[in-house]
Amino acid sequence: MKVIQGGNQLSLIRDTEEVLKFLEFVGKKSILEEHAIHCRLTACHNLFSVVEEEEDQLEYILKNLDLFINRFRNKSKSVNEATLKVYKSRVKSSLEDYKAWSNDPFAWERKLNEKKAANHIQRRTKKSPKVSKPSETKSVEVETSPQEETSVPEVKILNQPTRKVSFPVRPDFNVEVVIPEEGLSLKELNRLGMFLYPYCNDIETVTPMWPNLTH
């Protein structure tokens, strides 16, 4: 019960009743969504049922929510802990909103709208598809031998695991090739031979390996 300012009369309206009327009011004015109001009213009705008359003060209820949750737990054995946790959160929000609204209704509603707008932007940002990065182009470096400009170019694939192999084709010259880390298939080996074919300066007209190749 509350003492009316300027006298000793007691108000017949309890704080819990004021909170319920507040929720109904903001629901009718569409300040809060209908579903949210319904959920809050359900939680408040249940928890307020265990509040004694002498405890019916806004600040006291806020400070002792765990106490009232425990009372309601003992009263309603069928209610699980997850539901009790939700009830506590909704009742706390309702009490805090009522307190802020009582001090300055317009400031409370303005802050509420700003929070809604911020949440909306955050949800849109999360739902926005990620901009896919442009596909990486395989970088190729070509190096030529210092001995002759027409020697086989060295190709390096930079965006995948590779290994460099070196083969001494002459006592004074090595051929270096960069190949995939897992090695080459037989088909790839044949393709490499075809690639090197034009650089052979003494190949026979017909060879056992490539019988269809001629000068």
Side-chain angles (χ1 to χ4, degrees):
M1 309 291 274
K2 296 184 293 184
V3 177
I4 298 177
Q5 296 297 326
N8 295 322
Q9 293 179 336
L10 295 177
S11 170
L12 298 179
I13 301 178
R14 301 167 64 172
D15 279 2
T16 51
E17 293 176 355
E18 292 280 11
V19 173
L20 295 175
K21 287 185 177 182
F22 159 72
L23 291 174
E24 293 171 354
F25 170 77
V26 296
K28 288 179 181 178
K29 295 296 183 180
S30 299
I31 298 174
L32 291 176
E33 296 178 357
E34 182 179 355
H35 177 69
I37 291 295
H38 174 75
C39 292
R40 287 193 181 197
L41 283 171
T42 300
C44 287
H45 276 298
N46 282 316
L47 211 60
F48 291 168
S49 67
V50 296
V51 177
E52 299 295 336
E53 185 174 338
E54 63 274 12
E55 299 169 332
D56 202 324
Q57 298 175 17
L58 185 66
E59 294 297 337
Y60 183 85
I61 298 172
L62 272 171
K63 291 178 181 178
N64 295 278
L65 278 176
D66 288 332
L67 182 149
F68 298 118
I69 286 291
N70 187 59
R71 287 183 190 174
F72 187 72
R73 180 189 292 112
N74 295 332
K75 177 184 176 181
S76 305
K77 300 291 186 181
S78 60
V79 180
N80 59 41
E81 290 299 320
T83 301
L84 290 174
K85 186 176 181 179
V86 172
Y87 278 1
K88 179 181 177 181
S89 175
R90 288 172 178 170
V91 170
K92 184 174 184 292
S93 297
S94 300
L95 295 173
E96 290 175 343
D97 282 344
Y98 169 70
K99 182 179 178 181
W101 176 83
S102 298
N103 292 332
D104 190 336
F106 297 107
W108 170 79
E109 187 173 353
R110 183 168 58 251
K111 185 176 180 181
L112 182 68
N113 290 335
E114 291 173 353
K115 185 177 179 181
K116 285 181 180 179
N119 290 339
H120 179 67
I121 293 174
Q122 188 177 12
R123 285 195 298 269
R124 287 185 60 185
T125 303
K126 288 182 178 180
K127 290 181 180 179
S128 299
K130 294 182 179 179
V131 179
S132 57
K133 296 181 180 179
S135 57
E136 296 181 355
T137 304
K138 292 183 178 181
S139 300
V140 177
E141 293 181 0
V142 178
E143 299 178 359
T144 57
S145 167
Q147 296 184 3
E148 56 181 280
E149 291 297 321
T150 59
S151 61
V152 181
E154 177 183 350
V155 180
K156 295 181 180 179
I157 307 302
L158 301 180
N159 64 337
Q160 66 182 34
T162 61
R163 59 177 173 175
K164 181 184 289 187
V165 293
S166 178
F167 178 72
V169 293
R170 300 175 187 169
D172 60 344
F173 191 86
N174 290 348
V175 172
E176 293 184 347
V177 182
V178 178
I179 64 173
E181 191 174 64
E182 70 274 17
L184 297 173
S185 66
L186 181 59
K187 183 178 180 180
E188 291 169 340
L189 180 62
N190 287 332
R191 288 179 61 195
L192 179 60
M194 293 285 288
F195 173 77
L196 294 174
Y197 178 85
Y199 297 95
C200 296
N201 55 23
D202 61 348
I203 193 168
E204 296 295 333
T205 303
V206 178
T207 67
M209 183 175 294
W210 298 298
N212 295 324
L213 295 179
T214 57
H215 287 295

